[in-house]
Short mmCIF file of all heavy atoms in Angstrom, two decimals:
data_model
loop_
_atom_site.label_atom_id
_atom_site.label_comp_id
_atom_site.label_asym_id
_atom_site.label_seq_id
_atom_site.Cartn_x
_atom_site.Cartn_y
_atom_site.Cartn_z
N MET A 1 18.56 81.22 36.95
CA MET A 1 19.97 81.09 37.28
C MET A 1 20.25 81.82 38.58
O MET A 1 20.08 83.02 38.67
CB MET A 1 20.84 81.67 36.17
CG MET A 1 20.89 80.79 34.95
SD MET A 1 22.21 81.11 33.75
CE MET A 1 22.65 82.79 33.95
N GLN A 2 20.67 81.05 39.56
CA GLN A 2 21.02 81.63 40.85
C GLN A 2 22.54 81.72 40.91
O GLN A 2 23.24 80.81 40.50
CB GLN A 2 20.49 80.72 41.95
CG GLN A 2 20.60 81.31 43.32
CD GLN A 2 19.98 80.38 44.36
OE1 GLN A 2 19.67 79.24 44.09
NE2 GLN A 2 19.83 80.88 45.55
N TYR A 3 23.05 82.83 41.42
CA TYR A 3 24.49 83.07 41.52
C TYR A 3 25.17 83.10 40.16
O TYR A 3 26.37 82.92 40.05
CB TYR A 3 25.17 82.01 42.39
CG TYR A 3 24.60 81.85 43.76
CD1 TYR A 3 23.85 80.72 44.10
CD2 TYR A 3 24.79 82.81 44.73
CE1 TYR A 3 23.31 80.57 45.36
CE2 TYR A 3 24.26 82.67 46.01
CZ TYR A 3 23.53 81.54 46.31
OH TYR A 3 23.00 81.39 47.56
N GLY A 4 24.41 83.25 39.08
CA GLY A 4 24.99 83.24 37.75
C GLY A 4 25.33 81.84 37.25
O GLY A 4 26.05 81.70 36.27
N LEU A 5 24.83 80.82 37.92
CA LEU A 5 25.08 79.44 37.52
C LEU A 5 23.77 78.79 37.05
O LEU A 5 22.70 79.17 37.50
CB LEU A 5 25.62 78.61 38.69
CG LEU A 5 26.94 79.05 39.31
CD1 LEU A 5 27.28 78.15 40.50
CD2 LEU A 5 28.06 79.01 38.30
N THR A 6 23.89 77.80 36.17
CA THR A 6 22.70 77.04 35.78
C THR A 6 22.32 76.13 36.95
O THR A 6 23.10 75.94 37.89
CB THR A 6 22.97 76.16 34.54
OG1 THR A 6 23.92 75.15 34.89
CG2 THR A 6 23.48 77.00 33.37
N SER A 7 21.15 75.55 36.89
CA SER A 7 20.71 74.68 38.00
C SER A 7 21.62 73.47 38.16
O SER A 7 21.93 73.08 39.29
CB SER A 7 19.26 74.23 37.80
OG SER A 7 19.13 73.49 36.61
N LYS A 8 22.10 72.89 37.07
CA LYS A 8 23.01 71.74 37.19
C LYS A 8 24.36 72.16 37.76
O LYS A 8 24.94 71.44 38.57
CB LYS A 8 23.21 71.05 35.83
CG LYS A 8 22.07 70.15 35.45
CD LYS A 8 22.37 69.37 34.20
CE LYS A 8 21.18 68.50 33.86
NZ LYS A 8 21.38 67.77 32.62
N GLN A 9 24.85 73.32 37.33
CA GLN A 9 26.12 73.81 37.87
C GLN A 9 26.00 74.05 39.37
O GLN A 9 26.87 73.65 40.15
CB GLN A 9 26.54 75.10 37.17
CG GLN A 9 26.98 74.93 35.75
CD GLN A 9 27.13 76.25 35.02
OE1 GLN A 9 26.60 77.28 35.43
NE2 GLN A 9 27.84 76.23 33.90
N LEU A 10 24.91 74.68 39.77
CA LEU A 10 24.70 74.98 41.19
C LEU A 10 24.55 73.69 42.00
O LEU A 10 25.14 73.57 43.07
CB LEU A 10 23.48 75.88 41.37
CG LEU A 10 23.21 76.37 42.79
CD1 LEU A 10 24.40 77.18 43.32
CD2 LEU A 10 21.95 77.21 42.83
N ARG A 11 23.79 72.73 41.46
CA ARG A 11 23.61 71.46 42.16
C ARG A 11 24.94 70.73 42.33
O ARG A 11 25.25 70.21 43.40
CB ARG A 11 22.62 70.59 41.38
CG ARG A 11 21.73 69.79 42.26
CD ARG A 11 20.50 69.23 41.58
NE ARG A 11 20.85 68.29 40.54
CZ ARG A 11 20.23 68.19 39.38
NH1 ARG A 11 19.23 68.98 39.08
NH2 ARG A 11 20.61 67.31 38.49
N LEU A 12 25.76 70.71 41.27
CA LEU A 12 27.06 70.05 41.36
C LEU A 12 27.98 70.79 42.32
O LEU A 12 28.66 70.17 43.14
CB LEU A 12 27.71 69.92 39.99
CG LEU A 12 29.04 69.15 39.98
CD1 LEU A 12 28.85 67.73 40.50
CD2 LEU A 12 29.64 69.13 38.59
N TYR A 13 27.98 72.12 42.25
CA TYR A 13 28.82 72.91 43.16
C TYR A 13 28.46 72.63 44.62
O TYR A 13 29.34 72.39 45.45
CB TYR A 13 28.67 74.41 42.84
CG TYR A 13 29.38 75.29 43.85
CD1 TYR A 13 30.75 75.45 43.80
CD2 TYR A 13 28.67 75.93 44.86
CE1 TYR A 13 31.40 76.24 44.74
CE2 TYR A 13 29.31 76.72 45.79
CZ TYR A 13 30.68 76.87 45.73
OH TYR A 13 31.33 77.63 46.66
N LYS A 14 27.16 72.64 44.93
CA LYS A 14 26.73 72.39 46.30
C LYS A 14 27.09 70.98 46.75
O LYS A 14 27.49 70.76 47.89
CB LYS A 14 25.22 72.62 46.45
CG LYS A 14 24.86 74.09 46.43
CD LYS A 14 23.37 74.29 46.59
CE LYS A 14 23.00 75.76 46.66
NZ LYS A 14 21.56 75.96 46.85
N PHE A 15 26.97 70.00 45.84
CA PHE A 15 27.35 68.63 46.17
C PHE A 15 28.84 68.54 46.47
O PHE A 15 29.25 67.95 47.46
CB PHE A 15 26.98 67.66 45.03
CG PHE A 15 27.52 66.28 45.24
CD1 PHE A 15 26.95 65.43 46.18
CD2 PHE A 15 28.62 65.82 44.54
CE1 PHE A 15 27.46 64.16 46.40
CE2 PHE A 15 29.14 64.56 44.75
CZ PHE A 15 28.55 63.72 45.69
N ILE A 16 29.66 69.13 45.61
CA ILE A 16 31.12 69.10 45.81
C ILE A 16 31.48 69.75 47.14
O ILE A 16 32.25 69.21 47.93
CB ILE A 16 31.85 69.80 44.65
CG1 ILE A 16 31.68 69.01 43.35
CG2 ILE A 16 33.34 70.00 44.97
CD1 ILE A 16 32.11 69.77 42.10
N LYS A 17 30.91 70.91 47.41
CA LYS A 17 31.21 71.65 48.65
C LYS A 17 30.82 70.84 49.88
O LYS A 17 31.60 70.72 50.83
CB LYS A 17 30.47 72.99 48.62
CG LYS A 17 30.86 73.92 49.73
CD LYS A 17 30.19 75.27 49.53
CE LYS A 17 30.61 76.22 50.63
NZ LYS A 17 30.02 77.54 50.44
N SER A 18 29.65 70.22 49.85
CA SER A 18 29.18 69.41 50.96
C SER A 18 30.05 68.16 51.14
O SER A 18 30.41 67.80 52.26
CB SER A 18 27.72 69.01 50.71
OG SER A 18 27.30 68.04 51.63
N TYR A 19 30.39 67.52 50.04
CA TYR A 19 31.20 66.30 50.08
C TYR A 19 32.57 66.59 50.68
O TYR A 19 33.04 65.86 51.55
CB TYR A 19 31.34 65.75 48.66
CG TYR A 19 31.95 64.37 48.57
CD1 TYR A 19 31.15 63.26 48.41
CD2 TYR A 19 33.33 64.18 48.63
CE1 TYR A 19 31.70 61.99 48.32
CE2 TYR A 19 33.89 62.93 48.54
CZ TYR A 19 33.06 61.83 48.38
OH TYR A 19 33.62 60.57 48.30
N ILE A 20 33.20 67.67 50.24
CA ILE A 20 34.52 68.03 50.76
C ILE A 20 34.43 68.37 52.25
O ILE A 20 35.31 67.99 53.03
CB ILE A 20 35.13 69.20 49.95
CG1 ILE A 20 35.48 68.73 48.54
CG2 ILE A 20 36.37 69.77 50.65
CD1 ILE A 20 35.90 69.84 47.58
N ALA A 21 33.37 69.05 52.65
CA ALA A 21 33.20 69.40 54.07
C ALA A 21 33.10 68.14 54.95
O ALA A 21 33.63 68.11 56.05
CB ALA A 21 31.97 70.27 54.26
N LYS A 22 32.43 67.12 54.43
CA LYS A 22 32.24 65.88 55.21
C LYS A 22 33.45 64.96 55.16
O LYS A 22 33.81 64.35 56.16
CB LYS A 22 31.03 65.11 54.68
CG LYS A 22 29.71 65.76 54.98
CD LYS A 22 28.57 64.96 54.37
CE LYS A 22 27.29 65.77 54.41
NZ LYS A 22 26.25 65.22 53.55
N LYS A 23 34.07 64.82 53.98
CA LYS A 23 35.10 63.79 53.80
C LYS A 23 36.50 64.33 53.59
O LYS A 23 37.45 63.55 53.48
CB LYS A 23 34.72 62.88 52.63
CG LYS A 23 33.38 62.21 52.88
CD LYS A 23 33.09 61.14 51.87
CE LYS A 23 31.75 60.49 52.19
NZ LYS A 23 31.51 59.29 51.45
N THR A 24 36.68 65.62 53.48
CA THR A 24 37.96 66.32 53.29
C THR A 24 38.67 65.99 51.97
O THR A 24 39.81 66.41 51.78
CB THR A 24 38.95 66.13 54.47
OG1 THR A 24 39.38 64.78 54.53
CG2 THR A 24 38.31 66.55 55.79
N ILE A 25 38.05 65.23 51.09
CA ILE A 25 38.57 65.03 49.74
C ILE A 25 37.42 65.32 48.77
O ILE A 25 36.26 65.30 49.16
CB ILE A 25 39.11 63.61 49.49
CG1 ILE A 25 38.01 62.57 49.69
CG2 ILE A 25 40.32 63.32 50.34
CD1 ILE A 25 38.39 61.19 49.21
N SER A 26 37.76 65.59 47.54
CA SER A 26 36.70 65.87 46.57
C SER A 26 36.10 64.56 46.05
O SER A 26 36.76 63.52 46.09
CB SER A 26 37.22 66.73 45.42
OG SER A 26 38.25 66.09 44.74
N PRO A 27 34.87 64.60 45.59
CA PRO A 27 34.21 63.39 45.10
C PRO A 27 34.79 62.92 43.77
O PRO A 27 35.38 63.70 43.03
CB PRO A 27 32.75 63.83 44.93
CG PRO A 27 32.81 65.30 44.73
CD PRO A 27 33.99 65.77 45.52
N SER A 28 34.59 61.65 43.48
CA SER A 28 35.00 61.11 42.19
C SER A 28 34.00 61.54 41.12
O SER A 28 32.89 61.97 41.44
CB SER A 28 35.06 59.58 42.24
OG SER A 28 33.74 59.06 42.37
N PHE A 29 34.37 61.40 39.88
CA PHE A 29 33.45 61.75 38.80
C PHE A 29 32.22 60.86 38.82
O PHE A 29 31.12 61.31 38.52
CB PHE A 29 34.16 61.67 37.44
CG PHE A 29 34.85 62.96 37.07
CD1 PHE A 29 35.79 63.53 37.90
CD2 PHE A 29 34.55 63.61 35.89
CE1 PHE A 29 36.43 64.72 37.58
CE2 PHE A 29 35.18 64.80 35.54
CZ PHE A 29 36.11 65.35 36.39
N ASP A 30 32.38 59.59 39.20
CA ASP A 30 31.22 58.69 39.31
C ASP A 30 30.25 59.19 40.39
O ASP A 30 29.04 59.18 40.19
CB ASP A 30 31.65 57.25 39.65
CG ASP A 30 31.92 56.43 38.40
OD1 ASP A 30 31.32 56.72 37.35
OD2 ASP A 30 32.73 55.49 38.50
N GLU A 31 30.80 59.60 41.53
CA GLU A 31 29.94 60.12 42.61
C GLU A 31 29.22 61.39 42.18
O GLU A 31 28.05 61.58 42.48
CB GLU A 31 30.78 60.36 43.87
CG GLU A 31 31.27 59.08 44.50
CD GLU A 31 32.39 59.29 45.51
OE1 GLU A 31 33.20 60.22 45.36
OE2 GLU A 31 32.45 58.48 46.46
N MET A 32 29.93 62.27 41.48
CA MET A 32 29.32 63.51 41.00
C MET A 32 28.25 63.21 39.95
O MET A 32 27.18 63.83 39.95
CB MET A 32 30.38 64.45 40.42
CG MET A 32 31.30 65.05 41.48
SD MET A 32 32.43 66.28 40.80
CE MET A 32 33.77 65.26 40.25
N LYS A 33 28.52 62.25 39.09
CA LYS A 33 27.57 61.87 38.04
C LYS A 33 26.26 61.40 38.66
O LYS A 33 25.18 61.83 38.26
CB LYS A 33 28.19 60.75 37.18
CG LYS A 33 27.31 60.25 36.06
CD LYS A 33 28.01 59.18 35.25
CE LYS A 33 27.92 57.87 35.98
NZ LYS A 33 28.31 56.71 35.20
N LYS A 34 26.34 60.56 39.67
CA LYS A 34 25.14 60.06 40.36
C LYS A 34 24.42 61.17 41.11
O LYS A 34 23.19 61.23 41.11
CB LYS A 34 25.52 58.93 41.31
CG LYS A 34 25.94 57.67 40.60
CD LYS A 34 26.41 56.61 41.57
CE LYS A 34 27.01 55.43 40.82
NZ LYS A 34 27.76 54.54 41.68
N ALA A 35 25.18 62.06 41.74
CA ALA A 35 24.59 63.12 42.56
C ALA A 35 23.74 64.09 41.75
O ALA A 35 22.72 64.57 42.24
CB ALA A 35 25.68 63.89 43.30
N VAL A 36 24.14 64.37 40.53
CA VAL A 36 23.39 65.33 39.72
C VAL A 36 22.56 64.67 38.63
O VAL A 36 21.91 65.34 37.85
CB VAL A 36 24.29 66.44 39.11
CG1 VAL A 36 24.88 67.31 40.19
CG2 VAL A 36 25.37 65.86 38.23
N GLY A 37 22.58 63.34 38.59
CA GLY A 37 21.73 62.61 37.66
C GLY A 37 22.16 62.68 36.21
O GLY A 37 21.32 62.68 35.31
N LEU A 38 23.46 62.72 35.98
CA LEU A 38 23.95 62.71 34.60
C LEU A 38 24.24 61.28 34.16
O LEU A 38 24.45 60.40 34.98
CB LEU A 38 25.22 63.56 34.48
CG LEU A 38 25.02 65.05 34.72
CD1 LEU A 38 26.36 65.77 34.76
CD2 LEU A 38 24.15 65.65 33.63
N LYS A 39 24.28 61.07 32.85
CA LYS A 39 24.49 59.73 32.33
C LYS A 39 25.95 59.44 31.99
O LYS A 39 26.32 58.29 31.83
CB LYS A 39 23.64 59.53 31.07
CG LYS A 39 22.17 59.53 31.40
CD LYS A 39 21.34 59.28 30.19
CE LYS A 39 19.94 59.48 30.52
NZ LYS A 39 18.83 59.02 30.40
N SER A 40 26.77 60.48 31.88
CA SER A 40 28.16 60.26 31.50
C SER A 40 29.12 61.12 32.31
O SER A 40 28.75 62.19 32.78
CB SER A 40 28.36 60.55 30.01
OG SER A 40 28.25 61.93 29.78
N LYS A 41 30.35 60.62 32.41
CA LYS A 41 31.39 61.39 33.10
C LYS A 41 31.77 62.61 32.28
O LYS A 41 32.21 63.61 32.84
CB LYS A 41 32.62 60.51 33.34
CG LYS A 41 32.39 59.43 34.36
CD LYS A 41 33.67 58.65 34.57
CE LYS A 41 33.40 57.36 35.32
NZ LYS A 41 34.63 56.57 35.46
N SER A 42 31.62 62.54 30.97
CA SER A 42 31.97 63.70 30.15
C SER A 42 31.05 64.88 30.46
O SER A 42 31.47 66.04 30.40
CB SER A 42 31.94 63.36 28.66
OG SER A 42 30.65 63.01 28.25
N GLY A 43 29.79 64.60 30.81
CA GLY A 43 28.87 65.66 31.22
C GLY A 43 29.32 66.31 32.51
O GLY A 43 29.25 67.53 32.67
N VAL A 44 29.83 65.49 33.44
CA VAL A 44 30.36 66.02 34.70
C VAL A 44 31.59 66.86 34.42
O VAL A 44 31.74 67.96 34.94
CB VAL A 44 30.71 64.87 35.69
CG1 VAL A 44 31.43 65.40 36.91
CG2 VAL A 44 29.47 64.10 36.08
N LYS A 45 32.47 66.36 33.56
CA LYS A 45 33.70 67.09 33.21
C LYS A 45 33.36 68.45 32.63
O LYS A 45 33.99 69.46 32.96
CB LYS A 45 34.51 66.26 32.21
CG LYS A 45 35.70 66.96 31.61
CD LYS A 45 36.84 67.07 32.57
CE LYS A 45 38.09 67.56 31.87
NZ LYS A 45 38.61 68.78 32.45
N GLN A 46 32.34 68.50 31.80
CA GLN A 46 31.92 69.76 31.19
C GLN A 46 31.47 70.76 32.26
O GLN A 46 31.88 71.93 32.23
CB GLN A 46 30.79 69.49 30.19
CG GLN A 46 30.41 70.66 29.36
CD GLN A 46 29.35 70.29 28.31
OE1 GLN A 46 28.75 69.22 28.36
NE2 GLN A 46 29.12 71.18 27.39
N ILE A 47 30.68 70.30 33.22
CA ILE A 47 30.21 71.20 34.28
C ILE A 47 31.36 71.61 35.20
O ILE A 47 31.46 72.77 35.60
CB ILE A 47 29.06 70.57 35.08
CG1 ILE A 47 27.85 70.33 34.16
CG2 ILE A 47 28.66 71.46 36.25
CD1 ILE A 47 26.72 69.55 34.80
N VAL A 48 32.25 70.68 35.52
CA VAL A 48 33.42 70.99 36.34
C VAL A 48 34.26 72.07 35.63
O VAL A 48 34.69 73.04 36.26
CB VAL A 48 34.26 69.73 36.64
CG1 VAL A 48 35.64 70.09 37.19
CG2 VAL A 48 33.52 68.83 37.62
N ASP A 49 34.47 71.92 34.33
CA ASP A 49 35.22 72.92 33.57
C ASP A 49 34.53 74.28 33.61
O ASP A 49 35.18 75.31 33.75
CB ASP A 49 35.41 72.48 32.12
CG ASP A 49 36.39 71.33 31.96
OD1 ASP A 49 37.13 71.03 32.91
OD2 ASP A 49 36.39 70.72 30.86
N GLN A 50 33.21 74.29 33.49
CA GLN A 50 32.45 75.53 33.54
C GLN A 50 32.60 76.20 34.91
O GLN A 50 32.81 77.42 35.00
CB GLN A 50 30.98 75.28 33.24
CG GLN A 50 30.72 74.87 31.81
CD GLN A 50 29.33 74.28 31.60
OE1 GLN A 50 28.58 74.06 32.54
NE2 GLN A 50 28.99 73.99 30.35
N LEU A 51 32.51 75.41 35.98
CA LEU A 51 32.67 75.96 37.33
C LEU A 51 34.08 76.51 37.53
O LEU A 51 34.27 77.54 38.17
CB LEU A 51 32.35 74.90 38.39
CG LEU A 51 30.88 74.51 38.53
CD1 LEU A 51 30.73 73.30 39.44
CD2 LEU A 51 30.07 75.67 39.06
N GLU A 52 35.06 75.81 36.97
CA GLU A 52 36.44 76.29 37.09
C GLU A 52 36.63 77.58 36.28
O GLU A 52 37.27 78.52 36.76
CB GLU A 52 37.42 75.22 36.63
CG GLU A 52 38.86 75.60 36.91
CD GLU A 52 39.84 74.48 36.72
OE1 GLU A 52 39.55 73.53 35.96
OE2 GLU A 52 40.91 74.55 37.34
N ASN A 53 36.08 77.65 35.09
CA ASN A 53 36.20 78.86 34.27
C ASN A 53 35.55 80.06 34.95
O ASN A 53 36.00 81.19 34.78
CB ASN A 53 35.57 78.65 32.89
CG ASN A 53 36.39 77.74 32.01
OD1 ASN A 53 37.58 77.57 32.22
ND2 ASN A 53 35.75 77.13 31.03
N ARG A 54 34.50 79.81 35.72
CA ARG A 54 33.81 80.89 36.44
C ARG A 54 34.43 81.17 37.81
O ARG A 54 33.91 81.94 38.59
CB ARG A 54 32.33 80.55 36.58
CG ARG A 54 31.63 80.55 35.25
CD ARG A 54 30.22 80.02 35.39
NE ARG A 54 29.58 80.00 34.08
CZ ARG A 54 28.37 80.41 33.84
NH1 ARG A 54 27.60 80.86 34.82
NH2 ARG A 54 27.88 80.36 32.64
N LYS A 55 35.51 80.47 38.11
CA LYS A 55 36.29 80.67 39.35
C LYS A 55 35.54 80.24 40.62
O LYS A 55 35.79 80.76 41.70
CB LYS A 55 36.75 82.13 39.49
CG LYS A 55 37.44 82.68 38.26
CD LYS A 55 38.92 82.47 38.34
CE LYS A 55 39.65 83.23 37.25
NZ LYS A 55 40.04 82.41 36.14
N TRP A 56 34.61 79.28 40.50
CA TRP A 56 33.91 78.75 41.67
C TRP A 56 34.71 77.63 42.32
O TRP A 56 34.60 77.39 43.52
CB TRP A 56 32.53 78.25 41.28
CG TRP A 56 31.55 79.36 41.07
CD1 TRP A 56 31.48 80.19 39.99
CD2 TRP A 56 30.53 79.80 41.97
NE1 TRP A 56 30.46 81.11 40.17
CE2 TRP A 56 29.87 80.88 41.36
CE3 TRP A 56 30.10 79.35 43.22
CZ2 TRP A 56 28.80 81.54 41.98
CZ3 TRP A 56 29.04 80.01 43.81
CH2 TRP A 56 28.41 81.10 43.20
N ILE A 57 35.51 76.92 41.49
CA ILE A 57 36.35 75.85 41.99
C ILE A 57 37.71 75.94 41.30
O ILE A 57 37.85 76.64 40.29
CB ILE A 57 35.75 74.44 41.73
CG1 ILE A 57 35.58 74.20 40.23
CG2 ILE A 57 34.44 74.25 42.48
CD1 ILE A 57 35.18 72.77 39.86
N THR A 58 38.68 75.22 41.84
CA THR A 58 39.97 75.05 41.17
C THR A 58 40.26 73.55 41.14
O THR A 58 39.80 72.81 42.01
CB THR A 58 41.12 75.79 41.89
OG1 THR A 58 41.22 75.29 43.23
CG2 THR A 58 40.89 77.29 41.91
N THR A 59 41.02 73.13 40.14
CA THR A 59 41.42 71.73 40.05
C THR A 59 42.89 71.65 39.69
O THR A 59 43.44 72.58 39.10
CB THR A 59 40.61 70.98 38.95
OG1 THR A 59 40.90 71.56 37.69
CG2 THR A 59 39.12 71.01 39.21
N LEU A 60 43.49 70.54 40.05
CA LEU A 60 44.86 70.26 39.60
C LEU A 60 44.73 69.34 38.40
O LEU A 60 44.07 68.30 38.48
CB LEU A 60 45.66 69.58 40.71
CG LEU A 60 45.87 70.39 41.98
CD1 LEU A 60 46.56 69.55 43.04
CD2 LEU A 60 46.69 71.63 41.69
N LYS A 61 45.31 69.70 37.30
CA LYS A 61 45.19 68.91 36.08
C LYS A 61 45.85 67.54 36.27
O LYS A 61 46.88 67.42 36.93
CB LYS A 61 45.85 69.64 34.90
CG LYS A 61 45.23 71.00 34.62
CD LYS A 61 43.76 70.89 34.27
CE LYS A 61 43.13 72.24 34.09
NZ LYS A 61 41.72 72.27 34.36
N ALA A 62 45.23 66.53 35.71
CA ALA A 62 45.73 65.15 35.71
C ALA A 62 45.84 64.56 37.11
O ALA A 62 46.65 63.67 37.35
CB ALA A 62 47.07 65.07 34.97
N ARG A 63 45.05 65.05 38.05
CA ARG A 63 45.04 64.49 39.40
C ARG A 63 43.60 64.17 39.79
O ARG A 63 42.73 65.04 39.70
CB ARG A 63 45.60 65.48 40.43
CG ARG A 63 47.04 65.81 40.26
CD ARG A 63 48.02 65.37 41.33
NE ARG A 63 47.55 64.75 42.52
CZ ARG A 63 47.80 65.19 43.75
NH1 ARG A 63 48.46 66.29 43.93
NH2 ARG A 63 47.38 64.51 44.79
N ALA A 64 43.38 62.97 40.22
CA ALA A 64 42.04 62.58 40.67
C ALA A 64 41.73 63.25 42.01
O ALA A 64 42.63 63.48 42.82
CB ALA A 64 41.98 61.06 40.82
N ARG A 65 40.47 63.56 42.23
CA ARG A 65 39.99 64.13 43.49
C ARG A 65 40.77 65.37 43.90
O ARG A 65 41.19 65.52 45.05
CB ARG A 65 40.03 63.07 44.59
CG ARG A 65 39.10 61.90 44.30
CD ARG A 65 39.09 60.92 45.44
NE ARG A 65 38.21 59.80 45.16
CZ ARG A 65 37.01 59.64 45.72
NH1 ARG A 65 36.52 60.51 46.55
NH2 ARG A 65 36.29 58.58 45.41
N SER A 66 40.99 66.26 42.94
CA SER A 66 41.81 67.45 43.23
C SER A 66 41.01 68.75 43.19
O SER A 66 41.59 69.82 43.07
CB SER A 66 42.95 67.53 42.20
OG SER A 66 42.42 67.76 40.91
N ILE A 67 39.69 68.66 43.31
CA ILE A 67 38.86 69.87 43.26
C ILE A 67 38.92 70.59 44.60
O ILE A 67 38.85 69.98 45.65
CB ILE A 67 37.40 69.50 42.93
CG1 ILE A 67 37.33 68.86 41.54
CG2 ILE A 67 36.50 70.73 43.01
CD1 ILE A 67 35.96 68.29 41.20
N ARG A 68 39.05 71.90 44.52
CA ARG A 68 39.04 72.76 45.71
C ARG A 68 37.98 73.84 45.50
O ARG A 68 37.83 74.36 44.40
CB ARG A 68 40.39 73.43 45.93
CG ARG A 68 41.55 72.48 46.10
CD ARG A 68 41.53 71.77 47.46
NE ARG A 68 42.58 70.79 47.57
CZ ARG A 68 42.43 69.48 47.44
NH1 ARG A 68 41.26 68.99 47.17
NH2 ARG A 68 43.44 68.67 47.57
N ILE A 69 37.30 74.22 46.57
CA ILE A 69 36.29 75.28 46.51
C ILE A 69 37.01 76.63 46.51
O ILE A 69 37.87 76.88 47.36
CB ILE A 69 35.33 75.18 47.72
CG1 ILE A 69 34.59 73.84 47.71
CG2 ILE A 69 34.36 76.35 47.75
CD1 ILE A 69 33.70 73.59 46.51
N ALA A 70 36.66 77.49 45.57
CA ALA A 70 37.28 78.81 45.48
C ALA A 70 36.38 79.91 46.02
O ALA A 70 36.85 80.94 46.47
CB ALA A 70 37.66 79.11 44.03
N LYS A 71 35.05 79.70 45.96
CA LYS A 71 34.11 80.72 46.45
C LYS A 71 33.35 80.19 47.64
O LYS A 71 33.00 79.05 47.71
CB LYS A 71 33.10 81.11 45.37
CG LYS A 71 33.70 81.97 44.30
CD LYS A 71 32.60 82.52 43.42
CE LYS A 71 33.17 83.40 42.35
NZ LYS A 71 32.21 84.01 41.51
#
């Protein structure tokens, strides 16, 4: 565990950060699912929630593409 995150959490965090830097909006759940090799959006949601609970990202509830980098 690097930075206190699991490998999937870290991979998703780095993908989100890179995506936002390039496109100025956060990626969709489908894009995140493909980037980290998950089979379902619920798996992505679980990791996004974990990152938010650890204060690595923030999200606006009920808004698509609302992830912001906190760290």
